[in-house]
Amino acid sequence: MNADKTNFENMLELAKFGADRHNERRQVLFRIYISYMTLLVVISGIILKHWDDDVLENYMFTMGVSIFLFAVGVSYWRWLITFYKASDYDVRRRDFYLVKAQVICYHMSKCLGQYYSGCKQVDINLGGRKGYKISERCLFKRRKPDIKSEHYLDDPPELDDPPEPTVRDNRHFWFHFSGPVGLTILIVFALGIKCYELLK
């Protein structure tokens, strides 16, 4: 019974670690998103303020600003994909150990013991509004939170690896992506109009 209690507490600590990592990532995302949007708003304000000045009539300056904004936008897009995939792995880590702790707690409360051989199906949150069903027995055989690359001979044949994290269906990703990209496109479009006026 003491071993079960220790296992339960360890699983909760690991679940808490995953939850803390997930929360820290969300705070970092918020700071970077606000900083990036602020930068774009300031650039927009400067361009509007100096629209008729000689500075914007320099073709090389206009192209340089456009290339800079494009490079920053691509870097932000790539970072955002990596961030959201890592965030989904944090969710998997948290839920993997939390579900293990719940199973241990349930069997301890019923004094059943040997929860490793349970065949009941449990759900694990994979992040990005995706879930994964796995039996208690298979859950306790796996060591890694992503539940991948550890198949055993007595696993049921229908047990497949869960899908890799993707951002395609993640509404939060598209929210954090579309705001800065939309503003960047507007700025580049405005600079393009200025260039077109210079070439006429």
Side-chain angles (χ1 to χ4, degrees), residues 101-112:
Q102 288 171 341
V103 172
I104 292 172
C105 184
Y106 171 78
H107 286 281
M108 282 173 54
S109 68
K110 299 291 185 182
C111 298
L112 297 176

Side-chain angles (χ1 to χ4, degrees), residues 119-171:
C119 296
K120 182 181 176 183
Q121 294 275 313
V122 292
D123 292 314
I124 295 179
N125 184 358
L126 298 178
R129 299 190 303 159
K130 296 181 180 70
Y132 183 69
K133 285 191 176 295
I134 188 171
S135 70
E136 292 178 0
R137 177 177 58 82
C138 292
L139 175 71
F140 279 93
K141 281 184 177 182
R142 275 144 184 79
R143 298 176 183 173
K144 296 180 182 178
D146 56 8
I147 326 167
K148 291 182 71 64
S149 307
E150 291 185 18
H151 286 288
Y152 298 87
L153 292 175
D154 58 344
D155 281 349
E158 67 274 8
L159 184 67
D160 295 323
D161 287 337
E164 292 282 342
T166 61
V167 296
R168 187 173 50 240
D169 301 325
N170 194 320
R171 291 176 294 180

Side-chain angles (χ1 to χ4, degrees), residues 12-98:
L12 280 185
E13 284 297 317
L14 290 168
K16 184 177 182 300
F17 173 75
D20 290 344
R21 287 282 301 271
H22 184 63
N23 289 333
E24 287 170 12
R25 281 189 208 278
R26 289 174 63 185
Q27 291 174 10
V28 168
L29 172 63
F30 176 75
R31 292 190 196 107
I32 289 178
Y33 177 77
I34 292 297
S35 300
Y36 188 24
M37 287 297 287
T38 302
L39 172 69
L40 293 173
V41 168
V42 168
I43 291 173
S44 302
I46 291 171
I47 289 172
L48 290 174
K49 184 177 179 181
H50 299 283
W51 185 255
D52 295 322
D53 292 353
D54 294 338
V55 177
L56 290 180
E57 292 180 0
N58 185 331
Y59 180 74
M60 292 302 292
F61 173 79
T62 304
M63 287 301 296
V65 170
S66 299
I67 291 170
F68 168 76
L69 290 174
F70 178 76
V72 172
V74 169
S75 299
Y76 175 75
W77 168 67
R78 294 182 66 178
W79 172 83
L80 203 59
I81 290 174
T82 303
F83 170 87
Y84 268 98
K85 287 184 177 181
S87 182
D88 280 356
Y89 277 120
D90 288 335
V91 171
R92 292 182 185 200
R93 179 181 294 110
R94 178 195 68 199
D95 268 42
F96 179 75
Y97 292 113
L98 186 60

